[in-house]
Every structure is written in C-alpha cells, then in structure tokens.
Amino acid sequence: MDRRLNWYQAVAECESRGEPYVLVTVLGVTGSVPREPASKMVVTGEHSYDTIGGGHLEYRICQQARERLAKQDYSSELGHFPLGASLGQCCGGSVSVLIEAHPGCEQELVIFGAGHVARALVTILGDLPWRVTWVDERADQFPAEIPANIRIHHTDDPAGDAPALCAGKQVLILTHNHQLDFELCRILLTAGNCAGIGLIGSDTKAERFRQRLIHRGFSPDQINTIRCPVGRSDVPGKRPMEVAVSICAELLSLGAGAGQPGARRGLPWKELKGLIQNNETGPQPEGRLPAIRQEKPE
C-alpha cells in the first residue's frame, strides 16, 4: 500500500485486500491540541496512514492499535489522553479518541496452480471476502494484473512450501501435474494443519489417489478430508469458468455462518452511552477507558 494514502483511501485498500486495520478517530478535545475533532488515521500491523497530530500521542495509540491486531482483539475502545501530563507534549490540552479494530477478511485460501481454472477462479475471488495466496513455479503463468486480495507466491518448491503456507487455511490443488497434486496431498495430510483440501480431478483420479494414500499409511478418515472432485456437484459444466463457479459455490458453503444478516455489529448504543456518562462523572485510567467489545454472532 502507498504510504501517502489518506485515511479513507487506506480503509478502502485494507477492505479490498482483506487486511486487518485499526481506525482511530478524534472524538473531542480540550485546550491546545495538534488536530481537531473528526481527524482520523489508520493503523495496520506495519504502517500508519494519515495523522491525528503526531508526537507521543500518535506513537502511543499506534502501539495500542498494533498490540490489539497482534492479539486479534477486534474490540473497540474509548481513550482519553492528557497531552502534557501523561505524554509530555507541549500542547497542554487533552484528546479523546475512539479506537476501532477491524478484522479484515478472516477467510484465507491457498491455491496451487495457475492454469485456466485457477485464473477463472481468481477473477471471481477478487470480488469475494477471501485473502488468497496463489502458488505456482511458473512465473509466466500469472496474469499481469491481479485483484488486491490475491498474493502471488512464486516458488520452485510448491510442495516444500505447502505446510507453512497452508496452516489454518483452506487449500485448493489445481496444478497441471498429477504427481505434484499427489505430493501436495501427501504433505498436507502429514502436516495435518490446514482447514480443508480441495483437489481438482475426476472420480477415477480420486480413487487412484485414495489407493496410493492408503498404501502410504493414511487412514480413511484422513483421506476423506480431501474433497475430490472439488466443487459442487449440482453446478454443472466443464468450461474453466463453470468449474470455477462450482468451486466458489463450495467455498462459500464452507464459510457459511460468518457475518450472518441480522447479527449485531459495531458499538451497542447503551454501552457507548454508559461509557460516556462514566467518563463525565468519574476519573478513568490514564490513556485508556474500559473497552466496548463487539459481540460475536451467535
């Protein structure tokens, strides 16, 4: 991302890339302060965009924001910072801020292979809430332009890189090489740390792989975690885009339940109002107020 982005451009980039971020908003000020209410900045795990005034105030808030991202704590919080007393800034006023952490995209996918089906699939995934790593040893197979949420991993050893790349993620094996497909299946089943494996191929290929994996000592339960043929059987067609639509439909069904309509999101008004009233009537810990946590969908 371009470091010169302002806060709303940075939010748009983070959303399109599925990257977690923290949005910081100045809610109120007293006395002499570096920025006025409604000033905003965005903080990611590595960078910050725009500013709420710089100095030790901004440094402290960036620290808190990155601690929150590192812990995957996507709650929201009000904070009050006396600039002179606690931060040593010469302004002498005080600033109240709202710190909102956004998880980005929690669904992650690794695609092995950059053939016709994979390229069609990436076209669709560019408009879906997935963070995708796209792997192939052939650099010339990747298109010149890819969606913002796709990261290319060019390697001469896809199978060797697989366990680390795929930990905790859904995996699609769509390569041009059946032996590489088998090695990826074997290595990923041995690692046992990915969320699921989809393998392109026919019923005949699935049965051949099953017999080879049994011969290698894998149990039926382990082998059954591989979805082959990958995709939904009720979505017909053999053209690359038709196969890609089938695979995407299956991926979406696997991710069902996240962000269901009607689930409460954001900051409940009663809790926000209570915190504001508490802040007005009593002292709070320096630099930090009690957190307002977003409830997870049931």
Side-chain angles (χ1 to χ4, degrees):
M1 285 172 56
D2 189 339
R3 295 295 306 282
R4 296 168 296 181
L5 299 178
N6 59 35
W7 70 266
Y8 55 85
Q9 292 170 326
V11 166
E13 281 288 311
C14 287
E15 291 288 345
S16 68
R17 293 158 60 96
E19 181 177 0
Y21 66 95
V22 174
L23 177 64
V24 181
T25 304
V26 176
L27 292 182
V29 300
T30 57
S32 177
V33 295
R35 292 296 300 272
E36 292 303 309
S39 301
K40 299 177 187 287
M41 69 180 296
V42 170
V43 182
T44 68
E46 297 181 355
H47 302 297
S48 61
Y49 304 88
D50 223 320
T51 180
I52 57 167
H56 199 54
L57 167 68
E58 193 164 294
Y59 174 77
R60 174 85 68 86
I61 289 174
C62 285
Q63 273 189 319
Q64 291 187 11
R66 292 195 175 108
E67 288 171 5
R68 190 179 295 272
L69 292 174
K71 294 185 293 187
Q72 297 184 331
D73 176 4
Y74 301 118
S75 60
S76 298
E77 184 176 7
L78 287 169
H80 181 71
F81 297 85
L83 299 183
S86 65
L87 299 176
Q89 292 188 210
C90 59
C91 300
S94 65
V95 178
S96 296
V97 299
L98 174 62
I99 301 171
E100 301 173 272
H102 298 262
C105 179
E106 296 180 332
Q107 300 180 102
E108 295 188 82
L109 173 68
V110 180
I111 302 173
F112 288 94
H116 296 298
V117 171
R119 291 197 293 272
L121 184 64
V122 163
T123 301
I124 303 172
L125 289 170
D127 289 324
L128 292 175
W130 289 77
R131 298 179 72 184
V132 181
T133 301
W134 194 6
V135 185
D136 203 296
E137 68 270 36
R138 304 164 298 167
D140 60 349
Q141 286 295 108
F142 295 110
E145 296 184 6
I146 61 169
N149 62 330
I150 311 293
R151 179 177 71 90
I152 287 177
H153 182 81
H154 174 231
T155 176
D156 62 356
D157 187 13
D161 293 354
L165 282 177
C166 301
K169 303 171 185 176
Q170 287 288 342
V171 179
L172 291 174
I173 301 174
L174 313 176
T175 86
H176 64 295
N177 185 322
H178 279 217
Q179 184 55 35
L180 176 57
D181 288 353
F182 179 79
E183 282 302 302
L184 287 166
C185 289
R186 183 186 65 79
I187 287 171
L188 291 173
L189 287 183
T190 300
N193 62 354
C194 62
I197 302 170
L199 170 66
I200 197 167
S202 63
D203 291 326
T204 301
K205 178 178 177 179
E207 182 56 30
R208 286 177 179 170
F209 274 37
R210 170 180 290 274
Q211 294 304 318
R212 292 179 67 184
L213 291 168
I214 288 174
H215 183 70
R216 293 294 187 101
F218 293 99
S219 70
D221 286 344
Q222 288 176 297
I223 298 168
N224 287 339
T225 62
I226 299 174
R227 307 184 310 279
C228 183
V230 68
R232 301 250 323 211
S233 60
D234 58 341
V235 180
K238 295 185 178 181
R239 296 183 181 91
M241 184 55 74
E242 291 170 335
V243 177
V245 168
S246 172
I247 293 172
C248 277
E250 183 180 73
L251 288 173
L252 290 172
S253 68
L254 292 173
Q260 289 293 335
R264 189 166 72 176
R265 301 181 297 275
L267 305 178
W269 165 244
K270 289 183 179 179
E271 294 182 26
L272 178 58
K273 183 178 179 182
L275 272 177
I276 293 172
Q277 290 173 340
N278 289 340
N279 190 36
E280 291 173 346
T281 58
Q284 299 295 332
E286 180 181 291
R288 193 180 285 270
L289 293 178
I292 311 170
R293 301 195 177 275
Q294 299 184 38
E295 293 188 3
K296 295 181 180 179
E298 296 179 358

